[in-house]
Amino acid sequence: MKPRKLNLKTIPARNIDRAYRFWRDVFDLPQSGHESQRHLTIDGQDIQFVVGEPTADIELLVRDHQDVLKAHLRNNFIQIVHSDTRFNHKIAFQIYDSEHNLITIEANQ
């Protein structure tokens, strides 16, 4: 997966280690240079995981085309709960992460 932008930089989690592994492995995000080993990075900005209740406000923009994205999610046993076409040849998929945050992923058609 080729993530480009993420609207939130603080992700709520019930289990920070589990959330970190999910985001690192499913979204292919690299570890940041932050002294804490539980920070990832996207678009040059750190993402941190904090104890909190799930949110439905997370939006992730990726460079992938929908077929590649669907295959990637399927390979990681992630179910798409909703999809929707968007302006300018984009499509949005909604999934849940390991902490039950609802994530909208926008990809190219």
Side-chain angles (χ1 to χ4, degrees):
M1 183 177 290
K2 299 171 189 156
R4 289 180 45 200
K5 299 224 181 265
L6 181 66
N7 68 326
L8 298 179
K9 301 305 186 265
T10 302
I11 308 297
R14 293 184 182 134
N15 181 313
I16 290 175
D17 290 335
R18 181 176 59 205
Y20 172 83
R21 285 189 305 273
F22 180 93
W23 283 74
R24 180 194 64 199
D25 297 345
V26 173
F27 298 131
D28 298 328
L29 295 175
Q31 186 173 336
S32 79
H34 194 271
E35 57 195 51
S36 167
Q37 299 217 349
R38 293 294 181 239
H39 282 234
L40 298 172
T41 186
I42 185 170
D43 195 32
Q45 296 181 318
D46 281 359
I47 300 169
Q48 70 178 47
F49 301 93
V50 296
V51 175
E53 292 300 311
T55 183
D57 297 329
I58 301 174
E59 293 188 19
L60 176 66
L61 179 63
V62 298
R63 289 187 184 113
D64 305 273
H65 287 276
Q66 67 177 330
D67 294 337
V68 172
L69 180 59
K70 283 182 180 178
H72 180 78
L73 294 173
R74 196 171 35 253
N75 288 341
N76 283 280
F77 306 100
I78 307 298
Q79 181 180 355
I80 296 170
V81 294
H82 181 73
S83 65
D84 176 19
T85 57
R86 292 197 170 173
F87 178 74
N88 204 16
H89 304 289
K90 302 285 184 187
I91 189 160
F93 296 107
Q94 289 186 319
I95 66 166
Y96 286 103
D97 72 0
S98 62
E99 306 308 297
H100 212 66
N101 293 304
L102 183 62
I103 303 166
T104 301
I105 304 171
E106 186 175 274
N108 298 307
Q109 285 185 336

